[in-house]
């Protein structure tokens, strides 16, 4: 899992501000060094001191705090210790983890990862959440999350905090869903502490597509720093990654490609607009155009895949139209933000082999040479992207502020 480096070292002797601020900054610095060490490498206290310019005594004291907080653990002997002598290596404690949760239109999900981002346990359950009151949805998710947390505990992993991803605009600081049209939620403040009471780090709210984009950044191919992630569910969401950072705009809502207008004379959209990408390339829109309706999510997708495999014209036309419209939206985005790669998630990834030809043709028509076919890839993280991204963001916040776990 990739993280942004911690800030510059603050010397206890010369730094401005109070000693508590210095201590907190250096806790993050030391933890960041451990997190950013190459896979399989376990830095010693001496190596951390040399790379941070902190004194050996300071590093030893800080490491002790991180061990006491349960964030780090000691790992055997590192043969690259000081003066060639073996030293005790350090790593993130695999017995600590975080929980990622997701509410989507037709399912809920929860999964625990350890602090390295590896999945410990994960569950997805179909549930019709359209136009629903938030209370029963949160109650169902709380029950699922409790089951997943128990399963993680049985595997020796203690959950420290959590992240919840939802398909809509959010105000994370106020735990509020500003607008999730396909859920029927508008200005809903969520009582996140009731999802899993007693977590030291609490629960943080995220947008589903942006969380998945962060997961793709952390778990996808190395060296990919700029891309548009497009999430295909009942709604269509997006996340812009520029310079290895999620670009969210001044209010945190940038990247909403699902509501780019691709057909000005088209159908009304749940957002209140007309002819948005979601009305053509959203999951329900594709099912309806393919003549598949009235089934639960998994059954509808299975029926669509069977129809496509059998080359049924109605299904092929529905997916091809979705691909062309997706190409229009991606071309418009590429022109505005100057990105040259796109990652397809959700049902766009599942339907890739039938969707891709019309998507490539559309991009060649509306943004020739801007996004090459080989730069259109499917998500590396699969359908658990939002969970991984929400969990990973909580881990990242812990790495940046580990003092929150100190008693």
């Amino acid at each position: 899992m990739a993280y942004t480096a911690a800030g510059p070292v603050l010397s206890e002797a010369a730094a401005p501000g109070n000693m508590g601020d210095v201590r907190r900054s250096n806790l993050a610095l030391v933890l960041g060094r451990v997190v950013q060490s190459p896979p399989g490498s376990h830095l010693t206290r001496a190596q951390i001191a040399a790379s941070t310019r902190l004194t050996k005594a300071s590093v030893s004291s800080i490491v002790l705090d991180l061990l006491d907080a349960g964030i780090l653990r000691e790992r055997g002997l590192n043969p690259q210790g000081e003066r060639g002598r073996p030293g005790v290596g350090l790593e993130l404690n695999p017995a600590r983890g975080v929980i990622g949760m997701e509410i989507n239109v037709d399912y809920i999900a929860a999964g625990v990862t350890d602090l390295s981002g590896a999945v410990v346990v994960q569950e997805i359950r179909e549930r019709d959440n359209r136009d629903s009151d938030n209370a029963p949805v949160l109650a169902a998710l709380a029950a699922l999350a409790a089951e997943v947390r128990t399963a993680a505990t049985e595997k020796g992993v203690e959950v420290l905090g959590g992240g919840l991803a939802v398909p809509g605009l959010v105000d994370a600081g106020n735990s509020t869903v500003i607008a999730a049209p396909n859920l029927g939620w508008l200005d809903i403040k969520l009582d996140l502490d009731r999802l899993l009471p007693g977590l030291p780090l609490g629960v943080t709210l995220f947008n589903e597509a942006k969380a998945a984009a962060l997961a793709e950044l952390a778990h996808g191919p190395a060296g990919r720093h700029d891309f548009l992630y497009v999430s295909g569910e009942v709604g269509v969401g997006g996340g812009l990654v520029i310079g290895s950072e999620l670009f969210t705009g001044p209010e945190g809502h940038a990247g909403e490609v699902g509501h780019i207008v691709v057909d000005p004379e088209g159908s009304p959209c749940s957002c209140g607009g007309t002819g948005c990408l979601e009305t053509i390339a959203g999951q329900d829109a594709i099912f309806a155009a393919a003549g598949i309706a009235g089934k639960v999510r998994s059954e509808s997708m299975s029926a669509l895949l069977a129809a496509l495999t059998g080359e049924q014209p109605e299904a092929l036309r529905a997916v091809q139209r979705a691909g062309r419209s997706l190409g229009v939206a991606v071309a418009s985005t590429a022109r505005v933000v100057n990105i040259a790669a796109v990652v397809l998630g959700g049902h766009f990834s599942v339907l890739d082999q039938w969707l891709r030809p019309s998507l490539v043709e559309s991009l060649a028509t509306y943004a020739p040479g801007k996004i090459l076919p080989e730069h259109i890839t499917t998500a590396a993280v699969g359908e658990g992207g939002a969970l991984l991204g929400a969990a990973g963001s909580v881990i990242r916040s812990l790495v940046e502020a580990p003092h929150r776990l100190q008693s």
Side-chain angles (χ1 to χ4, degrees), residues 340-343 356 370-377:
V342 60
V343 179
R356 179 174 291 265
K370 191 65 180 173
I371 298 181
L372 302 178
E374 58 267 30
H375 293 158
I376 304 170
T377 58

Side-chain angles (χ1 to χ4, degrees), residues 270-289:
S270 62
C271 73
T274 298
C276 298
L277 174 63
E278 187 174 296
T279 66
I280 297 173
Q283 182 177 281
D284 284 356
I286 293 175
F287 290 157

Side-chain angles (χ1 to χ4, degrees), residues 303-320:
L304 177 61
L305 291 173
L308 292 168
T309 301
E311 299 184 348
Q312 295 183 15
E314 195 173 21
L316 291 171
R317 283 194 299 270
V319 173
Q320 288 164 0

Side-chain angles (χ1 to χ4, degrees), residues 7-69:
V9 59
L10 296 177
S11 165
E12 286 95 338
N18 62 55
M19 293 304 294
D21 291 339
V22 173
R23 184 72 172 181
R24 286 191 288 269
S25 178
N26 288 336
L27 276 167
L29 179 66
V30 170
L31 181 57
R33 286 292 190 271
V34 175
V35 168
Q36 293 157 11
S37 60
S41 171
H42 303 101
L43 296 181
T44 65
R45 292 162 175 80
Q47 290 170 328
I48 293 171
S51 68
T52 61
R53 304 192 308 279
L54 291 169
T55 67
K56 294 176 184 176
S58 292
V59 170
S60 293
S61 175
I62 289 169
V63 167
L64 183 60
D65 284 347
L66 294 171
L67 291 170
D68 287 344

